[in-house]
Amino acid sequence: MYPYLFGKIPSYSVMTIIGILAAVVLFRVLCAKKQVPGKIYDYYATAAIVAIAAGLGSAFLFQAVYNLIANGKFEFRGLTFMGGLIGGALTFILFGLLSRRPERRAALLPIAELAAPCLVLAHAIGRIGCFLAGCCYGKVSDHGIYMPAVGAKVIPTQLIEAAFLFALFGLLLWFTMSDKVKGFNLVSYALSYSVFRFVIEFFRDDYRGSFIPGLSPSQFQSIILLAVGAFVLALRLKFPDRFVLAPESAPETPDDPTETPEKSDETSEND
């Protein structure tokens, strides 16, 4: 479609950068809206940056494995979202679980709830990059969009997924800002995206190998994501308080701010 912008800049890279920046800014805004303590935000903002880097590396690594399965060559060429999600999520989780401070560990799930819509937004923007670059396309169809790389009309699975993700982002953002729905961002994301991704894979036509006969790597990973979503749902229903950030304890103050402690009757000569 439009693999390069202005003739030189890879459109996929541009959309990836825009998606990451949008996610970072949104994460900051949501943390401010939800009054996340500064020290907690600083810690998990650092965790998010490291997770993004780890996710990109994991995305390249997974794609290299797919290339090995498909054509017998281990090449760092291209990247895959599901691989990036696995690497990035594991890194973020480890940051939370391995912290020595209990308040940081306790904040892992509530912060992950805020990070979920940010991730979905970045993913949606990234799928537009896939469309511009001409990758992740669907099967040939007379009712599709012409793809120069294929030389035929194909189902625009990239745009379909982008539309789904933007809709999911709107839902998760509403969950986040609403006082009626709390602690269901991760569950909604994991369950809905795993089912959607499993189904959309039947309409895609960019073969990336197979882990199990009849299932693409992304479909296999979608099944795992679905199981993770079911586990998180059970955790949310049994321990709902763990998904809500506890308010920061305020320092004790006298009932009357103008009141000063009375001096003791027994004073030293130096008083």
Side-chain angles (χ1 to χ4, degrees), residues 15-25 52 56 118 122 125:
M15 299 307 294
T16 298
I17 293 172
I18 292 175
I20 291 174
L21 291 177
V24 170
V25 172
I52 290 171
L56 289 174
C118 306
I125 296 173

Side-chain angles (χ1 to χ4, degrees), residues 185-219:
N185 279 358
L186 292 173
V187 171
S188 300
Y189 171 66
L191 295 182
S192 63
Y193 183 69
S194 61
V195 173
F196 173 86
R197 184 59 186 268
F198 188 91
V199 174
I200 200 68
E201 283 292 306
F202 289 113
F203 298 92
R204 287 177 61 163
D205 198 31
D206 52 340
Y207 181 71
R208 298 192 176 192
S210 176
F211 286 160
I212 298 177
L215 292 180
S216 71
S218 293
Q219 286 178 318

